Amino acid sequence: MKVLLVGGGGREHALGWKIAQSAVLSKLYLAPGNPGLKPLGETLPIGAEEIDRLVDAAVALAIDLVVVGPEAPLAAGLADRLAEKGVPVFGPSKAAARLESSKSFMKEVCVAAGASTAAYGRFRETGSAKEFLRAQKAPYVIKADGLAAGKGVVIAETLADADRAVDDMLGGLFGDASAEIVIEEFMTGEEASFFALCDGENVLPLIAAQDHKRAFDGDKGPNTGGMGAYSPAPVFTDDVYERTMKTIIEPVAKELARRGAPYRGVLFAGLMIENEIPRVVEFNARFGDPECQVLMRRLKSDILPALHAAATGAMKGQTLEWSDDAAALVVLAADGYPGSYKKGSPIRGVEAANALPGVVVFHAGTQEKDGALVANGGRVLNVTATGATTREAVERAYRGVDAIEWPEGFCRRDIAWRALTERA
Ligand code: AMP
Ligand code: GLY
């Protein structure tokens, strides 16, 4: 099978690493890939958002399966364009990807499917939005309807801050993405990410993971794209799993099919779990980054037949085997991230880290310059490790971190603290 992998971050490196081990892979193409992916396939100089060029390349190279990592090309209709050309694609249509690209659509689908989520209202003008706020309790949750590069959610402690968020967003802070907003009930509990493959009709559960969104130890500091992850997630008990499948994943997949927007790809449910009851915080139309990386480290089966089956509506009877080992991931980020940071500082020791027991380093924001590896982003490396327990996985990951010489970078030192302290 000839596969074209779209994207070039840590998530795509992990997917490519797993796809490269497939018994049914004949050739892997990377658009645009990254220095970590480079040895695994042939790099095409095409960006993940260059829809026309991606479609042309898939046709010209007679690709058997396009695997899309990030959400932006899906929201822009890459899957639809490939489907028109008869190229199987792992990733939902633009209509189904609205589950991620429109908060109000996501809420509507949840309500129709009976999937538990925060109570909400949707607004296009400030008067009614502020009136609604006054009937809520603090903290207030205000969300831009559309994709806003991870910045579209405000959790305001005071009414004044909430009003300001409403004014900013409806005043055009995120352009079209905030022409409409959603205001919702604040949910309490513990968050986890759960994933399932869908082929338009059938669903195949994957596993759960947890990530750390804040920049600094103790879950303090600004929000980031994720500073670490681990799996299994202790909060995701067997009961939570059953409820998630029966009351959220299956009915939502069914509801999308009923609306004529069958979901093909990976459905990522961001859940809030309290008293073993899962509620939907958000849906994403892609794998989580960095959650995907720990999932790939625990997946024992060949991934490619499952991705192909999801893309072609042939998932019935498909199964996947997972390792009992735990996996942990530590993000090495550039000093200053998630604010402004410098690019171009040299990184050494990745090979030494990869030689350690259980360790695999994925590249998230690196570049090769004159044969040397340099930082080229905010989140730069993902040091993953597996181990018999979460504690062992975490210890091994930090040994990997310590083998890497990059003075301009930083990481959190408490990844998986919740799993290690509360329930170990
Ligand atoms: P989202 O982009 O919708 O995932 O929101 C980003 C983060 O905001 C989530 O991961 C939660 O930590 C938090 N959040 C969003 N919505 C709610 C809610 N209704 N109640 C509590 N926390 C929320
Ligand atoms: N780690 C959360 C996300 O990928 O959205």
Side-chain angles (χ1 to χ4, degrees):
M1 203 184 291
K2 286 201 272 184
V3 175
L4 170 59
L5 174 61
V6 177
R11 166 181 51 208
E12 289 77 28
H13 187 181
L15 285 170
W17 172 83
K18 191 67 196 167
I19 291 169
Q21 297 168 38
S22 171
V24 291
L25 179 75
S26 54
K27 178 145 187 182
L28 178 61
Y29 293 92
L30 309 154
N34 68 33
L37 278 162
K38 203 170 135 198
L40 304 176
E42 182 176 332
T43 300
L44 307 176
I46 305 177
E49 294 179 34
E50 294 184 77
I51 308 292
D52 291 340
R53 296 186 64 211
L54 288 169
V55 174
D56 290 347
V59 171
L61 296 166
I63 296 293
D64 300 299
L65 178 67
V66 177
V67 178
V68 186
E71 65 274 21
L74 295 168
L78 175 59
D80 309 72
R81 294 281 307 281
L82 288 164
E84 279 165 23
K85 301 280 184 192
V87 181
V89 51
F90 179 81
S93 67
K94 185 174 179 170
R98 284 182 74 213
L99 215 47
E100 171 163 8
S101 64
S102 167
K103 301 275 185 204
S104 57
F105 178 74
M106 178 288 254
K107 295 302 246 182
E108 216 178 278
V109 169
C110 280
V111 170
S116 180
T117 186
Y120 77 107
R122 52 197 282 196
F123 305 94
R124 288 186 157 265
E125 56 97 20
T126 55
S128 52
K130 290 181 182 175
E131 200 175 303
F132 185 82
L133 277 175
R134 276 148 185 81
Q136 310 296 311
K137 283 188 294 223
Y140 307 93
V141 183
I142 301 112
K143 301 186 176 183
D145 184 69
L147 294 175
K151 299 192 175 77
V153 176
V154 170
I155 299 189
E157 297 294 336
T158 66
L159 211 42
D161 287 347
D163 281 347
R164 197 168 315 120
V166 166
D167 286 333
D168 288 349
M169 287 194 199
L170 290 177
L173 181 61
F174 302 116
D176 278 354
S178 65
E180 178 163 323
I181 60 171
V182 165
I183 297 178
E184 56 179 52
E185 167 203 358
F186 181 80
M187 296 187 285
T188 53
E190 189 174 332
E191 281 183 77
S193 306
F194 180 70
F195 302 85
L197 300 186
C198 305
D199 72 352
E201 196 179 333
N202 307 289
V203 293
L204 175 63
L206 306 183
I207 54 174
Q210 282 179 289
D211 72 347
H212 292 270
K213 292 204 166 64
R214 302 293 198 100
F216 308 131
D217 284 15
D219 290 328
K220 298 209 168 59
N223 258 316
T224 71
M227 293 299 289
Y230 53 99
S231 176
V235 69
F236 209 79
T237 60
D238 290 349
D239 280 354
V240 174
Y241 163 78
E242 288 294 332
R243 288 186 186 122
T244 302
M245 287 305 294
K246 291 281 171 265
T247 68
I248 296 173
I249 303 293
E250 289 170 6
V252 163
K254 208 169 263 162
E255 173 63 18
L256 285 168
R258 195 189 65 77
R259 287 172 180 241
Y263 193 98
R264 292 196 187 88
V266 60
L267 190 54
F268 166 173
L271 302 170
M272 187 70 82
I273 299 158
E274 193 170 48
N275 301 324
E276 295 197 274
I277 305 294
R279 302 179 74 192
V280 180
V281 178
E282 61 167 345
F283 276 115
N284 294 308
R286 51 173 175 83
F287 277 109
D289 188 345
E291 292 97 323
C292 179
Q293 292 86 312
V294 289
L295 262 56
M296 292 305 112
R297 292 301 318 271
R298 292 190 63 209
L299 179 58
K300 288 208 286 196
S301 311
D302 191 336
I303 193 175
L304 213 39
L307 298 181
H308 190 261
T312 55
M315 219 167 54
K316 212 171 178 124
Q318 195 83 40
T319 56
L320 288 171
E321 255 190 274
W322 299 90
S323 167
D324 289 333
D325 280 357
L329 176 150
V330 180
V331 169
L332 279 173
D335 284 340
Y337 174 81
S340 61
Y341 52 82
K342 291 203 186 94
K343 292 184 179 178
S345 51
I347 302 167
R348 293 183 195 87
V350 172
E351 278 163 36
N354 273 323
L356 293 169
V359 174
V360 175
V361 181
F362 295 121
H363 293 235
T366 66
Q367 196 182 18
E368 258 164 5
K369 223 172 186 177
D370 308 324
L373 193 66
V374 301
N376 191 42
R379 291 188 295 169
V380 172
L381 291 173
N382 300 155
V383 183
T384 71
T386 51
T389 60
T390 299
R391 186 172 301 281
E392 185 179 52
V394 168
E395 280 168 6
R396 286 173 160 185
Y398 280 113
R399 259 176 245 142
V401 165
D402 293 336
I404 293 171
E405 293 169 53
W406 182 36
E408 291 80 3
F410 77 101
C411 68
R412 280 181 59 160
R413 283 281 163 186
D414 65 345
I415 295 307
W417 65 267
R418 212 186 274 277
L420 297 180
T421 53
E422 286 180 3
R423 297 185 186 79

